[in-house]
């Protein structure tokens, strides 16, 4: 105000005053006064002054944007060294790392001599954008001009090389220095800690202590951050104790690293202790500490404390808002999340992609896919473009909730919007293909993952193993598994489960022994897969051994899934009394899976007494599951108990239970062909029956005889044989034989347990047509070839 008054009064100011006023204009965002001063300088002929030009560039960068500042610099006729330094610094401040390097290169081409500050800034940019080659060139410049004695430049070189993952070069620079200051030691220790070289970082720390330079709080924070970033969480707590024993009081940076550790370890007790320290030492003013506390409480399922910390924060950044919104969303508290989102907008903070993605993820995880999609549309309306995280959250949520078809639809929409898939997207899509047994679509996604270089990722590779196993191409599953370089426990579990699905329990056990030889410890999922394999292969003794070793050798407490597998193993093998005793002595209360497994075994062995007991429990636990009623009706029908069949039908009517539709499908080229017991018939049904009659005629010559005991309706034998021909599995297999090319396997998916007649018929079909048939029966596969099935008639 005084400046304007004096200027209008004719006072002439020197460059020092004008530089000061330009700085004030930048601080106050006074755009037009700054422009007036620029015009004043041009009129007075001061536009040649280098210091005034530096002030102008700084003003334009602050008030009119970086592009205006860069344009002003480009138009200046006389670019002295100080000006180059200023524009490089300005671009770095705005995180325009590439532009800063471009300016530094033009500076050299203009024969201007970079100052040590410009070199330090350029090296910082090389570290940020991983520009190793450019960093080496600057290092060469430093050596040519004999600037290696400059400690600040050498420290920047150490940092640049470490951020480019070249620790050996960083160490070489450090060793070449004649003098190391505290910053030098911190740079090299930070480099090793940040890249996981903890032993070397410890050795350097000891060397530092033995020299004249003593560590400071930055040194300790480097060690804390490095260990935290690399998941060495127990070490973080140990370093914190050593740091305090050495007389250093943790600051906000120390607290943030430790809170990250506590969050990952789910140590709420330690988190509360650190919170107390924060309050006692007045660190709760720090926005990063506050945000870390909110995040810690959210991830430790303590939303009430997270909310309390959040509302007591004086300065809330986007991270704090986003953490609490995502916490509410993941807990399913969407009203609270939406209310917080509205408050965020009212306080003038614009929700960013992370905010919206947290909401999308929460809705998708809880199966509320319409709301998740609506959140994506709201994101677009706010001016933001949904990214790969947004769409992957939606796709993943659909897959997790077994809404597989929508997962694939959303992926198509994602591609239409030009968003490229990442590792997580591919894994979720493969899960959807596995759930639907869509082999062709899974193969397409496999090709996409190869083209994009995702197939090397262990999570994608594991998802491929799972997809191929569940989609009926076990050979490809094995090939993918063997190519995985660093197999995780999940990879081994997937492959073991694959063998189980195909009834190859001995191979599953062999793979388990190979896994143990590789040094991996099994978990509960491993034993679920192994016991499932024994169940599907009828291996009772092996099942008992695995069940016992799970408790005694690996200290894994059996879950309801393991108990269910054991009941199934014993029951299917005919040991119904042992299965009953096992259920009675279980430490857990039997659920529907236990009684369902027992009932299925009773049906196989026609034990009406045990079956009625199991059914009674199932009718109480699952009153609306039609499969339980149908199984009992079939058993009553086989036992000529027509009155009980009618009784169950009446019970179903009163409970409002309806029969689930029975269907099978096969894929020809890119089209799915459905065959349903009820509803609209397949358009080629006449041709299919014609072909099926011919097939049955050929099969009978080889010994096939229809098993009419599979038909439980009260009709004559001729009608029963006709009814067997209408089973959806037979129709789908026949259509596959009609349309598939020579040598190509037939793949059929069925939603119910295959009956014994269809199983026998499929064996004869494979023999007559000299083909392979894969039939997915619920959760397992039957592989028919040359008149035999891999299940050895145990299913």
């Amino acid at each position: 105000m005084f400046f304007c008054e004096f200027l209008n009064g004719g006072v002439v100011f020197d460059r020092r005053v004008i530089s000061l006023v330009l700085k004030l204009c930048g601080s106050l965002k006074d755009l037009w006064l700054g422009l007036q001063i620029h015009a004043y300088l041009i009129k007075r002929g001061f536009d040649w002054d280098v210091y005034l030009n530096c002030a102008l560039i700084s003003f334009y960068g602050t008030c009119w944007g970086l592009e205006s500042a860069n344009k002003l610099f480009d138009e200046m006729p006389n670019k002295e060294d100080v000006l180059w330094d200023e524009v490089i610094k300005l671009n770095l401040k705005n995180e325009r790392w590439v532009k800063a390097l471009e300016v530094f290169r033009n500076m050299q081409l203009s024969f201007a001599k970079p100052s040590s500050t410009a070199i330090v800034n350029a090296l910082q940019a090389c570290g940020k954008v991983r520009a190793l080659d450019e960093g080496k060139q600057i290092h060469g410049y430093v050596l040519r001009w004999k600037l290696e004695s400059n400690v600040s430049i050498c420290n920047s070189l150490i940092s640049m090389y470490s951020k480019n993952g070249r620790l050996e070069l960083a160490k070489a620079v450090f060793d070449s220095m004649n003098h190391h200051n505290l910053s030098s030691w911190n740079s090299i220790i930070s480099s090793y800690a940040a890249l996981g070289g903890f032993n070397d970082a410890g050795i350097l720390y000891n060397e530092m202590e033995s020299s004249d330079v003593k560590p400071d709080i930055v040194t300790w924070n480097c060690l804390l951050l490095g260990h935290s970033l690399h998941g060495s969480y127990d070490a973080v707590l140990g370093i914190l104790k050593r740091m305090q024993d050495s007389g250093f009081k943790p600051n906000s940076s120390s607290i943030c690293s430790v809170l990250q550790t506590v969050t990952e370890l789910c140590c709420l007790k330690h988190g509360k202790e650190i919170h107390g320290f924060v309050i006692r030492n007045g660190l709760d003013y720090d926005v990063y500490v506050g945000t870390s506390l909110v995040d810690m409480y959210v991830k430790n399922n303590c939303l009430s404390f997270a909310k309390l910390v959040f509302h007591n924060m004086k300065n809330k950044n986007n991270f704090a808002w986003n953490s609490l919104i995502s916490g509410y969303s993941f807990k399913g508290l969407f009203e609270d999340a939406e209310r917080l989102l509205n408050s965020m907008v009212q306080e003038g903070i614009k929700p960013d992609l992370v905010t919206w993605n947290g909401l999308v993820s929460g809705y998708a995880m809880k199966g509320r896919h319409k709301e998740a999609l609506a959140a994506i549309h709201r994101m677009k309306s706010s001016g933001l473009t949904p990214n790969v995280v947004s769409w992957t959250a939606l796709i993943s949520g659909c897959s997790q909730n077994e809404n597989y078809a929508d997962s694939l639809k959303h992926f198509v929409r994602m591609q239409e919007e030009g968003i490229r898939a990442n590792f997580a997207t591919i894994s979720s899509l493969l899960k959807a293909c596995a759930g639907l047994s869509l082999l062709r679509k899974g193969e397409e996604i496999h090709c996409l993952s190869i083209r994009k270089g995702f197939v090397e990722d262990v999570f994608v590779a594991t998802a491929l193993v799972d997809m191929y196993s569940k989609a009926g191409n076990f050979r490809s599953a094995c090939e993918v598994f063997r190519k995985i370089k660093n197999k995780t426990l999940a990879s081994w579990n997937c492959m073991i489960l694959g063998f189980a699905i195909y009834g190859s329990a001995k191979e599953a056990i062999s793979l388990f022994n190979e896994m143990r030889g590789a040094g991996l410890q099994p978990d509960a999922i491993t034993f679920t897969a192994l016991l499932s394999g024994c169940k599907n292969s009828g291996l009772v003794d092996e099942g008992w051994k695995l069940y016992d070793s799970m408790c005694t050798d690996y200290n894994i407490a059996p879950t309801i899934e393991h108990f269910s597998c054991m009941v199934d193993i014993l029951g299917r093998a005919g040991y119904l009394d042992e299965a009953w005793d096992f259920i009675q002595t279980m430490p857990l209360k039997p659920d529907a899976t236990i009684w369902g497994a027992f009932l299925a075994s009773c049906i196989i062995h026609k034990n009406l007494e045990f079956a009625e007991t199991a059914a009674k429990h199932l009718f109480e636990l699952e009153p609306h599951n039609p499969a339980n009623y149908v199984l009992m009706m079939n058993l009553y029908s086989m036992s000529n108990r027509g009155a009980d069949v009618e009784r169950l039908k009446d019970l179903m009517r009163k409970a409002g239970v309806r029969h689930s539709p029975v269907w099978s499908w096969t894929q020809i080229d890119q089209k799915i062909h459905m065959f349903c017991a009820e509803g609209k018939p397949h358009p080629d049904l006449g041709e299919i029956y014609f072909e099926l009659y011919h097939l049955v005629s050929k099969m009978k010559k080889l010994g096939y005889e229809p098993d009419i005991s599979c038909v439980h309706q009260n009709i004559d034998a001729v009608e029963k044989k006709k009814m067997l021909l209408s089973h959806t599995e037979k129709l789908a297999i026949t259509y596959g034989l009609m349309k598939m090319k020579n040598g190509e396997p037939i793949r059929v998916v069925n939603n119910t347990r295959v009956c014994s007649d269809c199983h026998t018929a499929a064996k004869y079909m494979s023999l007559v047509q000299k083909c392979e048939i894969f039939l997915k029966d619920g959760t397992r596969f039957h592989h028919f070839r040359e008149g035999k099935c891999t299940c050895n008639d145990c299913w």
Side-chain angles (χ1 to χ4, degrees), residues 645-657:
V645 172
E646 294 304 318
R647 178 177 59 81
L648 283 182
K649 286 181 180 178
D650 187 53
L651 188 63
M652 288 178 71
R653 278 192 296 270
K654 288 180 179 177
V657 181

Side-chain angles (χ1 to χ4, degrees), residues 454-569:
F454 296 155
V455 77
E456 299 298 325
D457 181 79
V458 67
F459 298 105
V460 171
T462 301
L464 279 167
V465 172
D466 185 55
M467 182 276 295
Y468 277 123
S469 296
K470 293 176 180 176
N473 192 339
F474 192 57
R475 184 178 300 170
S476 293
C478 293
E479 289 175 1
V480 173
F481 175 76
R482 291 301 174 190
K483 289 179 182 176
I484 300 176
K485 292 179 181 177
N486 299 309
K487 297 178 179 67
T488 61
L489 180 59
S491 310
W492 289 96
N493 285 347
C494 257
M495 196 68 247
I496 291 170
L497 183 60
F499 280 115
I501 290 171
Y502 285 82
S504 303
K506 291 183 179 179
E507 289 82 353
I509 294 169
S510 176
L511 190 66
F512 169 70
N513 293 330
E514 185 182 337
M515 181 189 91
R516 292 288 298 111
L520 273 80
Q521 286 290 329
D523 63 1
I525 297 172
T526 316
F527 282 99
T528 300
L530 289 166
L531 292 173
S532 296
C534 293
K535 171 186 73 175
N536 291 337
S537 301
L539 301 181
V540 180
D541 292 340
E542 288 82 351
W544 269 121
K545 288 177 184 176
L546 288 165
Y547 177 79
D548 291 336
S549 70
M550 178 173 65
C551 308
T552 56
D553 298 337
Y554 302 102
N555 198 28
I556 297 172
T559 64
I560 201 74
E561 287 82 6
H562 302 117
F563 294 129
S564 177
C565 285
M566 286 307 301
V567 170
D568 223 339
I569 289 170

